[in-house]
Amino acid sequence: MCPFCDEAEESVEHLFTACVVVVRVWTAFSVWCNISPLILFDFKDILEIHKFIKRSKKEEKIIHGLAMIASWCIWKERNEVVFSQKRCNPQDIIGEMKSRGFAWMKNRASCKYISWTEWCKYPLYML
């Protein structure tokens, strides 16, 4: 069973797109990135999130990167629940996603002088 909701059999599709916990994460992701609510059916939809938004190439690249980071954070939380008996908290996943995304942008992108406070409000503010 899904380690987050215990309501359905665990599968890639359920864990990353259909679980009620993960739907909350993707809803927060959409609000944070100021994009339309995401309707995800399988993992491929996550890989192609940037193709469904009509933004500049740079914005699409950042959103794609953030979607990959969000997926990693979901997987990491899943493993902590399964192997360390941690209680799942969508806010932990969202916080981890923002933190890792900030580190990625600050260290890998051309935006060296980004503000944590502004980042937490809207990750594309510097464009």
Side-chain angles (χ1 to χ4, degrees), residues 26-114:
W26 290 119
T27 298
F29 180 92
S30 297
V31 170
W32 181 48
C33 293
N34 194 24
I35 58 175
S36 299
L38 299 171
I39 301 171
L40 307 168
F41 295 103
D42 57 38
F43 196 78
K44 182 180 176 195
D45 294 337
I46 296 169
L47 298 174
E48 296 181 349
I49 283 174
H50 62 290
K51 294 180 181 178
F52 302 117
I53 59 170
K54 298 300 176 210
R55 301 281 181 98
S56 72
K57 291 294 181 193
K58 192 167 188 173
E59 288 173 304
E60 288 177 4
K61 185 176 179 178
I62 292 170
I63 290 171
H64 180 257
L66 292 174
M68 297 304 96
I69 290 168
S71 298
W72 169 249
C73 293
I74 291 166
W75 183 249
K76 185 174 173 282
E77 182 79 3
R78 178 251 180 226
N79 287 339
E80 289 178 7
V81 169
V82 170
F83 299 114
S84 300
Q85 289 72 48
K86 179 182 184 248
R87 288 185 51 103
C88 178
N89 183 344
Q91 292 299 354
D92 290 346
I93 300 170
I94 295 162
E96 181 85 6
M97 171 184 67
K98 289 181 178 182
S99 177
R100 288 185 180 272
F102 180 79
W104 168 64
M105 280 297 291
K106 191 160 183 74
N107 295 302
R108 302 265 318 176
S110 59
C111 304
K112 301 288 184 209
Y113 304 102
I114 62 175

Side-chain angles (χ1 to χ4, degrees), residues 13-35:
E13 284 74 26
H14 176 79
L15 184 68
F16 287 97
T17 65
C19 174
V20 295
V21 171
V22 172
V23 168
R24 288 177 58 191
V25 171
W26 290 119
T27 298
F29 180 92
S30 297
V31 170
W32 181 48
C33 293
N34 194 24
I35 58 175

